Amino acid sequence: MKQTVQFSMLLLCFLGMFSCKQKTHSKKQQTTFIYTPTKPVQGKLKGVVELGTSGFNSFVIEVDKNKNWILKDREYGVSLISEGMTNTHVINQKLQDYIQKLLHKGLDSSAIHFVVSSGAIKEDLTKLMVNELKNIGHEVKVVSPHEEAKFALKSALPKGYHENSFVVDLGSGNTKISFLKDSIVIGLETHGSKYHQKGAYDEEVYEEVSKIASKVPKHKSKYCFILGGVPYQMASPDLNQKKSYIPLSNNANHYNNLAAIKGKKVQSGLNIYKAIVETTKCEEVIFFNDGNFTIGFLLEQPF
């Protein structure tokens, strides 16, 4: 009970901070970030199926030899791995369904890839599932936290923003923070939005996330490009704009409603988000709306 009350007070304070920022920076937020991705020329279709701690997702992109790309199709599903509410048979059936859908969209089978997130592979059920999939002939790429951070950066960080920005992938199993240092991707890992299932407390997670976020250089913290399930919920009022990048609102009532309606995962995600924003003092947070870290994985595949 004490922890719940303390977190409620922290969340109210957090939301109050957003309310104040909205009054003083709302005009700046509408005008500072303008970016239109370059469309691919003579591109090829590539697809990926991703098994995460909470999500079972697929994405199709068109990409050219210069790594310019656009999202052609996406589908989000539920994995329920961290809750232990699935099995290898169910996962395999979902995988086969996704493969058939991608083939029907015009992809060649050699252009379809399968990825397991660094958060999902921590679960015993996922390890059994990966072995089962390999036994029946599927090649599965299991990414490390550093690889996932690198792929998230390749996915979400626009060209021209390498010098003043960093990327956050706020996942269920873990959160990855990444930025470029001398053209090398620095990837950092910390708690995910389901840390409450592991028995971690809000205050200790806030402190640990803050320590990790403090490693982001000051000159890299003008813009924070963010992706993940909880940021998706935060961006939900603006998703109908069909934009690749959506500046997150500072609407206090919206986040208050999310915390009340969506439950503990969103509350925990907001706690992580708050720690990152307050520590880095980033000027603007922008949601990447065109997929997840697996796009970066696809961009590294041969053309």
Side-chain angles (χ1 to χ4, degrees), residues 1-21:
M1 180 64 71
K2 181 179 179 181
Q3 294 292 342
T4 301
V5 173
Q6 289 176 335
F7 178 69
S8 298
M9 293 175 66
L10 281 171
L11 185 58
L12 290 173
C13 178
F14 171 43
L15 297 176
M17 176 192 72
F18 271 87
S19 180
C20 292
K21 285 185 69 176

Side-chain angles (χ1 to χ4, degrees), residues 86-104:
T86 189
N87 55 56
T88 55
H89 174 75
V90 171
I91 293 296
N92 185 50
Q93 185 58 56
K94 286 184 179 180
L95 179 62
Q96 296 298 335
D97 291 343
Y98 272 65
I99 292 171
Q100 291 303 312
K101 289 178 182 178
L102 293 175
L103 291 174
H104 289 157

Side-chain angles (χ1 to χ4, degrees), residues 76-133:
Y76 295 106
V78 178
S79 69
L80 298 177
I81 285 177
S82 65
E83 290 83 0
M85 296 171 61
T86 189
N87 55 56
T88 55
H89 174 75
V90 171
I91 293 296
N92 185 50
Q93 185 58 56
K94 286 184 179 180
L95 179 62
Q96 296 298 335
D97 291 343
Y98 272 65
I99 292 171
Q100 291 303 312
K101 289 178 182 178
L102 293 175
L103 291 174
H104 289 157
K105 296 179 191 303
L107 276 84
D108 186 271
S109 59
S110 63
I112 302 174
H113 303 270
F114 311 99
V115 175
V116 176
S117 73
S118 59
I121 199 59
K122 294 179 180 180
E123 305 292 337
D124 291 337
L125 179 59
T126 307
K127 297 171 185 175
L128 293 174
M129 181 274 300
V130 169
N131 290 333
E132 180 68 17
L133 293 178

Side-chain angles (χ1 to χ4, degrees), residues 128-168:
L128 293 174
M129 181 274 300
V130 169
N131 290 333
E132 180 68 17
L133 293 178
K134 289 181 177 179
N135 288 337
I136 58 178
H138 295 300
E139 184 176 343
V140 182
K141 168 65 175 176
V142 179
V143 299
S144 67
H146 183 268
E147 286 179 311
E148 195 168 339
K150 178 183 69 173
F151 294 146
L153 185 140
K154 285 182 175 289
S155 300
L157 188 61
K159 294 179 180 179
Y161 287 81
H162 292 180
E163 297 302 319
N164 61 358
S165 307
F166 69 103
V167 173
V168 173

Side-chain angles (χ1 to χ4, degrees), residues 190-206:
T190 186
H191 294 276
S193 58
K194 287 190 174 181
Y195 63 78
H196 54 280
Q197 293 183 351
K198 309 296 184 183
Y201 293 110
D202 299 315
E203 291 83 355
E204 66 176 297
V205 168
Y206 179 93

Side-chain angles (χ1 to χ4, degrees), residues 170-187:
L170 206 170
S172 299
N174 55 9
T175 294
K176 286 72 57 180
I177 300 175
S178 55
F179 55 89
L180 285 169
K181 181 178 181 181
D182 300 327
S183 299
I184 298 174
V185 178
I186 305 300

Side-chain angles (χ1 to χ4, degrees), residues 54-71:
S54 294
F56 195 80
N57 314 307
S58 71
F59 303 97
V60 178
I61 65 171
E62 180 184 345
V63 57
D64 66 18
K65 62 182 180 180
N66 295 317
K67 305 301 181 182
N68 298 313
W69 65 276
I70 56 172
L71 183 69

